[in-house]
Amino acid sequence: MTMRTACLTIFAMLAFAANSLLCRLALKDGHIDAASFTALRIGSGALVLALIIRARGARPLAAGNWRSAWALFVYAAGFSTAYLGLSAATGALVLFGAVQATMIGYGLYAGERMTARQAAGVAIAAAGLAALLLPGLAAPSLPHALLMAAAGIAWGVYSLRAKGAGDPANATAGNFLRAAPMALALGLAWLPWSRIEGAGIVYALASGALASGLGYVIWYQALRGLNATTAASVQLCVPVLATLGGVLLLSEPLSWRLLYSAVAILGGLALVILGKARPRQG
């Protein structure tokens, strides 16, 4: 890995973790409602991506499709709403687990077969997630956790569809532009109950324009210098970064329950990612 690729990768991982922190920061003190946050995030991300694609001499809507745009919208709306009741750490952990579970599940459906090590990894990760969500004083809000899981499934679907979409930056720009009217409609529908403060607007725009728009473009640049296993592995640090940011910047508690669950979930997923899947025999 070159120094340029390493720097791009680090920036992209920080941007992905920042999405959780910015959303939680905006919502936890009521600076903005979830629907307005979603609209501003998708809208500003679409604008930045469109400008980048225009600067490259391409048409922003030339790539992407409506199905992927719907998956993107469901992810963004579920993500924002779930963070009304989850800490940055818990939300990032549930989201990441659901994304990986969706992609692993699709691989099995498509004919991949797990090694014993991968199967053990799935079992460990599942046990960690179950331990996190089991009822108790330290358990997160189950409805919000399920909503974040749904957002993760939607993002997993979006990621799977993006694999065959040609230039990923162009496809992402087209999908954001198609998702923007959906997010705007959600924001307008929620307008009678909306709450929008200056700080909330700043957090939402930073999430959309910087952490999402620029973050995705930088990640796609980094991917050119990473193999598939490394690309999947480095994403394991995103929930860790979100957890550290939540503790240091948002004064969120770090419980033993969350810590043990995080080790089990991320460790189990690492076993799956680093294992070698075998193609299914006729």
Side-chain angles (χ1 to χ4, degrees):
M1 184 189 300
T2 66
M3 180 61 68
R4 177 178 181 274
T5 298
C7 290
L8 290 174
T9 301
I10 292 170
F11 186 92
M13 295 305 101
L14 290 172
F16 293 164
N19 266 324
S20 293
L21 297 174
L22 289 167
C23 186
R24 182 60 180 158
L25 192 61
L27 297 174
K28 77 166 190 170
D29 293 325
H31 293 302
I32 195 170
D33 61 279
S36 298
F37 185 94
T38 300
L40 288 171
R41 178 189 178 189
I42 294 293
S44 59
L47 177 60
V48 167
L49 286 165
L51 292 174
I52 291 174
I53 298 305
R54 277 289 188 186
R56 293 168 57 177
R59 292 187 300 111
L61 280 172
N65 57 78
W66 286 103
R67 290 184 178 180
S68 293
W70 271 109
L72 173 64
F73 168 70
V74 171
Y75 149 73
F79 178 91
S80 301
T81 308
Y83 264 128
L84 289 170
L86 298 177
S87 68
T90 302
L93 195 58
V94 173
L95 176 74
F96 185 84
V99 171
Q100 294 301 318
T102 300
M103 300 184 75
I104 292 169
Y106 177 79
L108 294 174
Y109 172 79
E112 294 180 2
R113 296 188 67 178
M114 287 189 174
T115 63
R117 184 170 66 174
Q118 286 180 307
V122 170
I124 293 171
L129 186 58
L132 178 66
L133 300 180
L134 281 175
L137 292 177
S141 165
L142 185 58
H144 290 96
L146 292 176
L147 192 56
M148 185 62 84
I153 292 171
W155 186 252
V157 170
Y158 181 86
S159 300
L160 289 167
R161 291 185 58 82
K163 285 187 174 182
D167 187 304
N170 288 354
T172 300
N175 292 330
F176 261 79
L177 285 167
R178 289 176 175 86
M182 307 174 197
L184 177 61
L186 175 65
L188 291 175
W190 195 255
L191 196 58
W193 306 278
S194 65
R195 174 172 179 162
I196 305 176
E197 298 177 355
I201 294 174
V202 171
Y203 295 142
L205 293 179
S207 175
L210 301 178
S212 296
L214 287 178
Y216 295 155
V217 170
I218 290 172
W219 174 234
Y220 296 139
Q221 291 293 321
L223 283 175
R224 296 179 178 179
L226 301 173
N227 59 42
T229 301
T230 302
S233 299
V234 296
Q235 293 181 66
L236 291 170
C237 73
V238 173
V240 177
L241 292 172
T243 299
L244 292 175
V247 172
L248 297 176
L249 303 178
L250 306 180
S251 299
E252 294 180 346
L254 180 60
S255 66
W256 284 109
R257 179 174 185 161
L258 176 62
L259 185 59
Y260 292 148
S261 298
V263 170
I265 293 171
L266 298 179
L269 291 175
L271 289 175
V272 177
I273 292 170
L274 297 176
K276 293 184 178 180
R278 296 173 301 181
R280 179 174 294 172
Q281 300 298 320

